[in-house]
Structure formats: structure tokens, C-alpha cells
Amino acid sequence: MADNKDPMIPDGDVNPIDTDYQIGQDNIVVNVGPFGLDIHNRVFAISGLAVVAFVILTLAFQNQVEPLFTGLRNWLTGNLDWFFISAANIFVVICLVLIVTPLGRVRLGGTEAQPDYGYLGWFSMLFAAGMGIGLMFFGVSEPMSHALSSFGGVSVGEDGLRTDWAPLGAAGNDPEAARQLGMAATIFHWGLHPWAIYAVMALGLALFSFNKGLPLTIRSVFYPLLGERVWGWPGHIIDILAVLATLFGLATSLGYGASQATSGLNYLFGIPMGDTTQILLVIGITAIALVSVLAGLDAGVKRLSEINMILAILLLVFVIFVGPTLLLMTGFFDNLVAYLSFLPELSNPVGREDVNFVSGWTAFYWAWWISWCPFVGMFIARVSRGRTVREFLIAVLLVPSTACVLWMTVFGGTAIDLHFSEGYTAIKDADLPLRLFTMLDALPLAEITSFIAIVLVMVFFVTSSDSGSLVIDVIAAGGKVDAPTPQRVFWCTFEGLVAIALILGGGLAALQAMAVSTGLPFTLVLLMAAFSMIKGLASEPRA
């Protein structure tokens, strides 16, 4: 940090909101021996009870809830895919427009504010918080899935609907066209759209906290629309939805991480697969996250994020050098061109024939990113004070997107090349969580790189759980950023318990169902937040 001054006190000119509300005025403060609690009486109580009830009921009725979760996910992504796709498009357009308008000159924290973190530390935290486990899980499996389904071509059922999972019109029996379409579809899910979702939430939070002087919680973004009612039940509901969306979005990622780490440990050391191993992993990693939570943001998350960036870069560079180096170097630009050329078709919300791809991949992803956005948005907001809106949006959209394109090109491109050029079919035959390790097995030093990959999954797991519990705690404490540590311990523990409940209650289908169902109401919240944030920006003095 630049210094220890209160980040909520602006530097230079701002246009603060005049409200009598004091941060923490609705909080209940309790001291039990050495432990203190400082919680928002409505938000903490309702969201905490809802989470506890969910864990108990899911564990009590494990067998009955699996078909319920699967049906819920299929209905939401099948019937509301157009809504999720349209919303994500709107967020991209808002970000691009703000970059080129005079509103881009507004500085977060006041006209004289200086950035709290240097570029390297800032970029590391942007990247590690937003995408960690997902890149490890999907880096090989998603490009491979799209390329293979595209290569397989279109198949139509008796009802006239497509039964294949290929994006757009597929690319039957043309390996190069299948590779291009597979990579373009993957980058679509990891490029501008998810980062625009995060950027809108983060920018709203940063503006209303650092410039307008409101608490660092989701409800503050709605002040231009709701006025003083934001401190009553409309605001409580917004914050409760944010807590639940964040918790279930995180639990989905922790579930993916656990299934991949279990597959890797089985692959390397013969440790048995199954729910028991996954649950023991979740418990172990949650315990490490608790230690990191106790260390705080600068000591815990920042240090872990930087360690993880170094490990991820080492693994990436290794695969570039021992894999098809020239193909990967040229493939980065080829994939960017393919992404931009297919982008209008991939982001079209209506009249699509590729029903499985749209509902099973795109709609699920957009709902998942939106359920993550209170967590990632608040995290990005907290580390972005001192940046102009233009600098903030360019960095948040382009830096992690470029890193994701590079990651998917290297890992996905290597796997696709091994399959089509070398005839190595083991990746195609492996389950999704195992595909990364199967790809690394075809390269030198497979045991070492696979072990590094498992460590990466686990450390991403810890940073996600750690920063997630920090954020949920701020919302549930009415915007207090220095709430007592036992509250963060509660949320960190329950993230692990929710992940365990969902693993036992239907595995990945249950995880996906909860991410989508909490993502749906929060999409409406985020659309309103975007409008409110633009109103707030318009009233700010510009640097």
C-alpha cells in the first residue's frame, strides 16, 4: 500500500452524496469473551440462516436433490439463455462507451488520488481473484471439447433440434476450421464479456465508496435510483442476494477445483477418486484459507496471488517451449482474429440453432460470472483506488482477457495439436477434470508439471476462498472493511461446507444449478446497477 491513510477519505475534488447514514448504524455488536461480532442485523441473519438451512437440507436429502438440481439448471439455461446473453452484451457496450467518453477522466478516490498498488501487484490481484481455478479446469478441456464437437459436425434429432454440442454451424471433418471455431468459442467465454461483467460491478463499488463516501457494499451503487430507501429493505434484499450469489458462485469454483485436484492426485499418486477424497481436499484447503484469512489482505491474498502468478507463468512458459512452439506463437494472433470474426455470431442472443452450446456453455458461464461479480467486483474495487475510469476499464477488460487468450492458446492449442497432428487420443478419452494432466503426460517432465498444476489449483482455491470470505464479510457487516475476524472465519468455513453439500448432493450438476439460480436475480440487480453507476459518474468532477 502507498500509506496507511483511510481509503474512504478522498484526495482532491469529489461530489459526495449527502446522507445521514453512518456505516454500521444498523449493526449488532456482540462480545463473547475475546471474540467480537459486528454484523448487519438483517443481512447477516437472513443470508447466514439461508446458507445454514441449505447445507442441512442438502446433506439430509442427498439422493432426492440431485434430479432437482439438474432439472433446475437445464430449465434456467434452456429458457433464459437469451436473457443472460443480452445482459452480458449490454455490459460490454457500457464499458467500451465509458472508455471513449469524457466520463473516462473521472478518478476513483478524487481528482488528486494516487494508486495504492503498482501495476504488477495490481495486475496479479486482478487476474488471480477473477479466474484462477476456472483456467486450470477449463484450459485444456474446453478448447478440446469445442474443437472435437465442431469436427464431429451437426447432428439433428427427430424433433428437428440439434443434438450435437458444437458452437454455431460446426466445422465437419475440417481439423483447422474446427480448431479455429473451438478456440474462438473458448475465448468468447473467457474474454471481454466476463471481464465487462466484473468491471461494471467493480467500477460502481469503487465510485460510490471512494468518491461518494458511501459504505463499500452493493446497495450503495443504487443510491441514485433508490435514494435513502437504499438503507431499508430494498437495500437489504440487494445485499442478501449479493451474499448468496457470491457464496454459491464460489462454491461452484471450489467444487471444480476439488474434482480436478482429486483427479490429479489419483493420476500422480494413485489416491482413490470419489466424494470422500474431494471432501477431505475441501476441508484441508478451507483450513489453509482460514490461516490466510487471519493474515489479512496484504499479507495473505497479495502474497499468495504473487506466488501463484509466478508458478502459473513457469508452467505456461514450459508448455510453450516443449510444446508446438511456433504453432502456439502464431496461434495466439490467429485465435484473436478468429475470436473477433466469430464474436458477432457467438454473442447473438436470438434465433440460434446451436442449442446445446448456447444453454449448456454460454448461458451457464454468464450466470456463473454474474454470481461471482459481487466478490470479484468488490475485490477489484478495493485494489483500484487512484485509477481513472478509462485506465481502470482498459486494464480490467484487456489485461486479464489477453492473459486468458494466451493461457487457452497454449494449453488448449497444445492439446488440439496433440490430438489432430500426433494422433494422441488420450485427452479426448479422459474426463474433463483429468484432461489437463493427460495433456501434460504427453510432454517431458510430466510428474513435475502435473504436481505444479495440482499446487496451482490448490493455491487458486485458497486465494478464491480467502478473498471471497473477505468480501462476503464486508457486505454482511454493512460495509465495514475492518469487521472482527471471527465473522470472516464463519463465511470461509461455510464456503467449504456449501461446496461439500453440493458435491454430495449431485456433484457438478448441483454446483452449476446453484450458480445459475443465484446468477439469475443478480443479473437484474447488475443491469440496474450499471444504469445507476452511469448517473453517479456523470456528477463527478474530472481529473
Side-chain angles (χ1 to χ4, degrees):
M1 293 286 287
D3 54 37
N4 292 321
K5 79 180 283 291
D6 185 349
M8 298 305 170
I9 299 172
D11 296 308
D13 297 331
V14 291
N15 184 23
I17 285 171
D18 184 21
T19 175
D20 295 331
Y21 184 82
Q22 299 292 314
I23 294 177
Q25 73 174 39
D26 295 328
N27 284 18
I28 297 171
V29 181
V30 184
N31 288 307
V32 184
F35 301 111
L37 290 179
D38 190 347
I39 53 178
H40 190 284
N41 59 350
R42 308 280 196 292
V43 176
F44 185 94
I46 294 172
S47 48
L49 286 172
V51 169
V52 173
F54 175 83
V55 169
I56 292 169
L57 289 170
T58 306
L59 293 178
F61 301 102
Q62 282 172 40
N63 298 329
Q64 292 89 329
V65 293
E66 183 170 1
L68 177 75
F69 284 137
T70 306
L72 181 65
R73 181 198 63 189
N74 293 343
W75 189 89
L76 287 168
T77 54
N79 289 284
L80 295 172
D81 49 3
W82 61 270
F83 173 67
F84 287 119
I85 293 171
S86 302
N89 292 342
I90 289 167
F91 300 132
V92 174
V93 171
I94 287 170
C95 290
L96 296 177
V97 168
L98 285 177
I99 287 171
V100 298
T101 61
L103 295 179
R105 296 208 309 274
V106 172
R107 190 174 288 278
L108 301 173
T111 51
E112 307 296 323
Q114 295 297 311
D116 289 339
Y117 296 94
Y119 279 114
L120 185 62
W122 187 41
F123 292 161
S124 298
M125 287 192 281
L126 288 185
F127 186 67
M131 295 266 167
I133 291 173
L135 281 182
M136 297 301 296
F137 190 93
F138 289 106
V140 170
S141 61
E142 187 177 348
M144 198 69 189
S145 296
H146 296 329
L148 290 172
S149 59
S150 299
F151 185 71
V154 173
S155 56
V156 180
E158 291 177 4
D159 54 3
L161 292 175
R162 277 174 56 174
T163 55
D164 64 275
W165 283 75
L168 303 179
N173 292 325
D174 182 341
E176 179 54 27
R179 183 194 68 77
Q180 282 191 352
L181 184 54
M183 291 306 303
T186 303
I187 294 166
F188 173 58
H189 291 149
W190 294 85
L192 290 177
H193 282 74
W195 288 98
I197 290 167
Y198 292 158
V200 166
M201 186 83 265
L203 184 55
L205 285 166
L207 176 75
F208 284 93
S209 299
F210 301 143
N211 296 54
K212 303 293 189 185
L214 299 184
L216 186 64
T217 93
I218 312 299
R219 71 172 77 201
S220 295
V221 182
F222 290 82
Y223 195 94
L225 298 181
L226 296 172
E228 289 295 312
R229 285 175 299 163
V230 85
W231 314 123
W233 273 106
H236 301 339
I237 291 166
I238 288 165
D239 279 352
I240 290 163
L241 279 174
V243 168
L244 297 178
T246 306
L247 200 74
F248 287 111
L250 271 168
T252 305
S253 299
L254 303 190
Y256 276 126
S259 68
Q260 187 172 31
T262 305
S263 298
L265 291 168
N266 171 263
Y267 191 70
L268 271 185
F269 306 116
I271 292 170
M273 301 269 281
D275 290 349
T276 308
T277 309
Q278 287 190 44
I279 288 162
L280 289 172
L281 260 178
V282 172
I283 292 168
I285 294 172
T286 303
I288 299 167
L290 282 171
V291 174
S292 180
V293 158
L294 297 171
L297 179 68
D298 284 347
V301 179
K302 185 165 179 275
R303 196 165 297 145
L304 280 172
S305 297
E306 287 169 350
I307 291 167
N308 232 27
M309 282 295 280
I310 292 163
L311 277 177
I313 290 166
L314 284 174
L315 187 62
L316 186 81
V317 170
F318 175 80
V319 175
I320 290 171
F321 279 113
V322 301
T325 309
L326 187 62
L327 181 79
L328 298 179
M329 293 295 191
T330 56
F332 176 79
F333 299 101
D334 292 345
N335 294 340
L336 266 179
V337 171
Y339 163 58
L340 293 172
S341 63
F342 284 115
L343 184 59
E345 290 178 85
L346 287 166
S347 53
N348 170 28
V350 291
R352 298 281 290 267
E353 293 180 358
D354 48 347
V355 282
N356 285 337
F357 173 78
V358 171
S359 60
W361 284 98
T362 306
F364 161 66
Y365 264 134
W366 291 175
W368 188 22
W369 297 147
I370 287 166
S371 71
W372 261 64
C373 82
F375 146 50
V376 183
M378 190 174 294
F379 191 71
I380 292 173
R382 283 188 70 177
V383 298
S384 301
R385 188 181 183 280
R387 307 283 173 191
T388 65
V389 168
R390 183 169 294 132
E391 181 185 19
F392 171 89
L393 287 173
I394 290 171
V396 174
L397 284 185
L398 294 188
V399 172
S401 292
T402 306
C404 290
V405 175
L406 180 63
W407 187 273
M408 294 297 185
T409 295
V410 170
F411 286 84
T414 302
I416 291 168
D417 182 65
L418 284 167
H419 179 84
F420 284 118
S421 303
E422 312 286 331
Y424 180 68
T425 58
I427 304 171
K428 182 187 85 165
D429 300 332
D431 291 334
L432 287 186
L434 196 55
R435 281 185 170 176
L436 171 65
F437 303 107
T438 316
M439 187 274 284
L440 291 172
D441 197 41
L443 304 175
L445 306 177
E447 281 87 359
I448 296 170
T449 54
S450 294
F451 183 72
I452 289 172
I454 293 170
V455 171
L456 269 169
V457 172
M458 290 182 175
V459 181
F460 272 134
F461 201 143
V462 172
T463 53
S464 297
S465 181
D466 183 341
S467 34
S469 52
L470 268 168
V471 163
I472 293 172
D473 183 41
V474 170
I475 302 170
K480 284 199 170 181
V481 291
D482 54 354
T485 305
Q487 291 162 221
R488 295 217 303 277
V489 170
F490 169 84
W491 290 115
C492 189
T493 306
F494 266 86
E495 277 162 35
L497 287 173
V498 169
I500 289 168
L502 289 169
I503 288 166
L504 290 172
L508 290 182
L511 293 159
Q512 290 176 351
M514 290 317 297
V516 174
S517 36
T518 49
L520 174 65
F522 209 78
T523 306
L524 294 166
V525 170
L526 194 58
L527 286 165
M528 290 189 292
F531 176 65
S532 187
M533 179 258 295
I534 293 167
K535 284 191 73 170
L537 272 177
S539 67
E540 276 298 297
R542 287 150 207 178

